[in-house]
Amino acid sequence: MRALVTGTSGFIAGHLARRLVAEGHEVVGVDVAEPRRPVEGWRDVRLDLRDDAGVEHLVNEVRPEVVFHLAAQASVSISMREPRLDIETNVIASLTLARAAAEVGARRFVFTSSGGAMFGDPPTVPAGDDTPVEPRSFYGASKGAAEKYLKIVEYETGMTVASVRPANVYGPYQDPHGEAGVVAIFSQRMLRGEPVTIFGTGSDTRDYVYVGDVVDAQVRAALAPSGEMCVVGTGVETSTRRIFDELARLTGYEVAPVMAPPRAGDIPRIALDASRAAAVWGWRPQVSLEDGLALTVEAFRTA
Ligand SMILES: NC(=O)c1ccc[n+]([C@@H]2O[C@H](COP(=O)([O-])OP(=O)(O)OC[C@H]3O[C@@H](n4cnc5c(N)ncnc54)[C@H](O)[C@@H]3O)[C@@H](O)[C@H]2O)c1
């Protein structure tokens, strides 16, 4: 396939672009930021996707068959401080990109939403795809809104839209300096012997899904006969404290965490029931938390 992948200087799209290139697909990657890792085998374009004319020009030139849209303002905390930036990046730029792609005859638009943030504090955990969209953060609201806008593009144009709704993604090369990505932040700080902060009591739970498994869901979403919207997670709740303890063991870190008040927009617990992804994409997580954390620490150790 000829694929346009957005957000390739970031964590998940960087892994996805590598997998697509390895499988022989033609890939154009786009991101506003410089890549943190070397670009291997794809054309790398610098563009702010909030630039409508720039997006239309790029899409006209590339004429992608499939668009994997991962570029986003991806932090809950930043969304609470700067909701306008969040809307412009996650909703408006997604809409412009999708309409431009449909205009040049793209077959499939694979959006990356958020299973965790979109459902807020769900009545049932693990939460499946029938969970009401009741976000508690502007970030979650922007992802839910983008899904609605993209479905309208599908009705309007016939380009099918899929949405991968991941839980908390972790793995090698996640930015350890961001405001999200607890595994990356803890791993690097522990390996450097620096203090590690836990916001809240440490009993908050998340569903940690390995980046390779999320990339696999993206590829399946692109190849499936129709556009589907599915949560992608393990169904298992893991507390922040357990992540701290596992990583401390793997890195030999012996310092107690610094405890700080919870952050705005954070939810107390989440895990996702991916039975719909299993039914329509044949997707199941392959990498256990123990193996995934070990792979992540190893990558940070050798970086
Ligand atoms: N990491 C997770 O746990 C997680 C969970 C659920 C959903 N997601 C979603 O997956 C996608 C990828 O997340 P990630 O963890 O790789 O994040 P990331 O921050 O590592 O990557 C996002 C990339 O988007 C780029 N970007 C941001 N604004 C842009 C703009 N205006 N124009 C062009 N590029 C822009 C950034 O420069 C960055 O390289 C996002 O859509 C995110 O919301 C991530």
Side-chain angles (χ1 to χ4, degrees):
M1 67 175 95
R2 189 167 54 257
L4 178 63
V5 184
T6 74
T8 37
S9 299
F11 168 46
I12 306 172
H15 283 274
L16 173 63
R18 278 173 180 76
R19 163 145 176 201
L20 293 172
V21 167
E23 290 179 350
H25 301 294
E26 187 187 330
V27 178
V28 176
V30 57
D31 201 298
V32 69
E34 291 294 326
R36 287 186 294 119
R37 297 166 70 199
V39 169
E40 292 160 12
W42 69 86
R43 184 181 146 212
D44 182 40
V45 176
R46 260 326 53 70
L47 176 68
D48 188 329
L49 295 177
R50 292 173 299 167
D51 169 0
D52 292 355
V55 168
E56 281 154 18
H57 179 80
L58 176 68
V59 171
N60 266 300
E61 189 201 331
V62 176
R63 305 188 84 77
E65 293 160 47
V66 177
V67 176
F68 293 93
H69 180 38
L70 293 95
Q73 187 307 102
S75 155
V76 167
S77 306
I78 293 176
S79 83
M80 301 311 282
R81 293 198 301 267
E82 296 185 65
R84 178 183 288 270
L85 168 73
D86 196 67
I87 295 168
E88 287 171 355
T89 311
N90 295 358
V91 185
I92 300 175
S94 300
L95 176 62
T96 308
L97 178 66
R99 293 183 99 177
E103 190 72 27
V104 299
R107 175 177 65 74
R108 175 70 45 84
F109 190 91
V110 182
F111 179 60
T112 303
S113 187
S114 169
M118 222 171 39
F119 300 145
D121 189 6
T124 314
V125 175
D129 286 289
D130 51 357
T131 305
V133 175
E134 296 282 359
R136 293 285 179 89
S137 64
F138 294 128
Y139 167 70
S142 72
K143 291 290 183 178
E147 282 193 349
K148 296 281 186 213
Y149 275 89
L150 294 174
K151 269 292 161 193
I152 293 166
V153 175
E154 177 173 289
Y155 298 134
E156 197 187 35
T157 66
M159 175 184 72
T160 48
V161 173
S163 184
V164 177
R165 301 163 147 184
N168 278 64
V169 191
Y170 73 98
Y173 314 115
Q174 188 169 22
D175 183 1
H177 306 292
E179 299 204 26
V182 79
V183 172
I185 296 167
F186 285 10
S187 298
Q188 189 173 71
R189 295 192 73 84
M190 286 178 179
L191 285 168
R192 291 182 173 175
E194 294 168 356
V196 173
T197 303
I198 293 180
F199 296 97
T201 61
S203 61
D204 285 1
T205 63
R206 298 288 181 268
D207 180 340
Y208 292 91
V209 59
Y210 188 67
V211 65
D213 284 331
V214 174
V215 162
D216 189 51
Q218 304 266 358
V219 174
R220 287 168 186 268
L223 299 177
S226 52
E228 303 285 350
M229 301 204 167
C230 302
V231 301
V232 161
T234 66
V236 178
E237 285 181 76
T238 304
S239 70
T240 312
R241 181 69 214 206
R242 172 153 180 239
I243 293 291
F244 179 95
D245 291 341
E246 286 285 330
L247 290 172
R249 187 180 57 75
L250 286 162
T251 57
Y253 187 75
E254 288 177 350
V255 184
V258 178
M259 304 308 287
R263 294 181 304 182
D266 276 348
I267 50 175
R269 62 184 292 227
I270 188 73
L272 300 177
D273 171 1
S275 27
R276 186 170 162 72
V280 299
W281 293 338
W283 180 88
R284 277 171 195 80
Q286 302 294 322
V287 180
S288 69
L289 183 64
E290 292 71 22
D291 289 351
L293 291 179
L295 288 165
T296 307
V297 167
E298 204 40 47
F300 275 106
R301 210 189 285 280
T302 52

